[in-house]
Amino acid sequence: DVVMTQSPLSLPVTLGQPASISCRSSQSLVHSDGDTYLNWFQQRPGQSPRRLIYKVSNRDSGVPDRFSGSGSGTDFTLKISRVEAEDVGVYYCMQATHWPPITFGQGTRLEIK
Amino acid sequence: EVQLVESGGGLVQPEGSLRLSCAASEFTFSSSYWMSWVRQAPGKGLEWVANINEDGSEKYYVDSVKGRFTISRDNAKNSLYLQMNSLRDEDTAVYYCARGEAADYWGQGTLVTVSS
């Protein structure tokens, strides 16, 4: 199984400042079709998860452009250029390249300082 | 807009059974999408449970539920199901259905509590 490791697990950020979350996989997430199936999700308190980014760097519809995804192979990053109050929650990476099973990272809790 | 609405959760005793449903709307459920179940234990992270292909001929499960859970779908009813048997305490979680293996849309979840 592919193990997804996120860091940090807790991320206090000042409003208006940038934030960055790392996600590393135990093996390359490049699929045989050439795509990399690494997605990012946001879960606000009391809500269902919401996908933000798919295939490393593609923003989902309605996702603010302050969110961006990057990376390749085994190392990936979610960046928020300027954190807003509505960004509080837990962020998860997920790989859907080598499955079953589909696997998630442990989650990174973003809070406002 | 795509809607996924789960139902069927509740309190069940260990070794009991429960059937979850997910009603899908506002997209072509039958022909274009795998569907997934993902769960979240209280205060914990997300765990993929199972998924099923467009016509129900392929099904995959996380090891911890193999032989106990069965995923199915009824394309005529735009519905996804999860039959859960031999439930254990560790199956206590909110269960979400999600569209596709890439989970681009999620339902609101249904809580399953396994306790005596």
Side-chain angles (χ1 to χ4, degrees), chain A residues 94-113:
Chain A
M94 181 198 86
Q95 70 83 22
T97 294
H98 305 291
W99 62 274
I102 289 169
T103 49
F104 290 88
Q106 319 96 299
T108 294
R109 185 173 301 276
L110 185 149
E111 63 180 37
I112 304 300
K113 272 186 193 174

Side-chain angles (χ1 to χ4, degrees), chain A residues 46-109:
Chain A
Q47 295 189 12
S48 301
R50 165 199 183 195
R51 198 178 71 178
L52 299 176
I53 302 284
Y54 63 97
K55 290 196 284 186
V56 181
S57 59
N58 298 277
R59 261 192 313 275
D60 274 280
S61 175
V63 174
D65 61 7
R66 65 179 181 275
F67 289 92
S68 64
S70 63
S72 63
T74 61
D75 288 344
F76 304 92
T77 302
L78 175 70
K79 291 183 179 177
I80 309 173
S81 59
R82 294 173 306 279
V83 169
E84 298 188 5
E86 67 178 18
D87 300 335
V88 166
V90 182
Y91 292 80
Y92 298 91
C93 60
M94 181 198 86
Q95 70 83 22
T97 294
H98 305 291
W99 62 274
I102 289 169
T103 49
F104 290 88
Q106 319 96 299
T108 294
R109 185 173 301 276

Side-chain angles (χ1 to χ4, degrees), chain A residues 1 39 41 43 47-51 54 60 92 94 96 99-106 109, chain B residues 34 36 38 40 44-48 51 60-63 96 101-104 106-109:
Chain A
D1 298 357
N39 305 321
F41 297 85
Q43 188 175 30
Q47 295 189 12
S48 301
R50 165 199 183 195
R51 198 178 71 178
Y54 63 97
D60 274 280
Y92 298 91
M94 181 198 86
W99 62 274
I102 289 169
T103 49
F104 290 88
Q106 319 96 299
R109 185 173 301 276
Chain B
W34 285 66
S36 302
V38 179
Q40 186 170 36
K44 302 297 184 182
L46 301 172
E47 180 184 39
W48 172 80
N51 60 11
Y60 300 94
Y61 302 91
V62 68
D63 283 350
Y96 297 100
E101 62 275 30
D104 59 352
W106 297 61
Q108 86 289 350

Side-chain angles (χ1 to χ4, degrees), chain A residues 16-36:
Chain A
Q17 292 301 302
S20 180
I21 300 170
S22 170
C23 176
R24 291 184 173 174
S25 56
S26 58
Q27 59 183 277
S28 172
L29 297 185
V30 179
H31 194 274
S32 56
D33 65 9
D35 276 327
T36 300

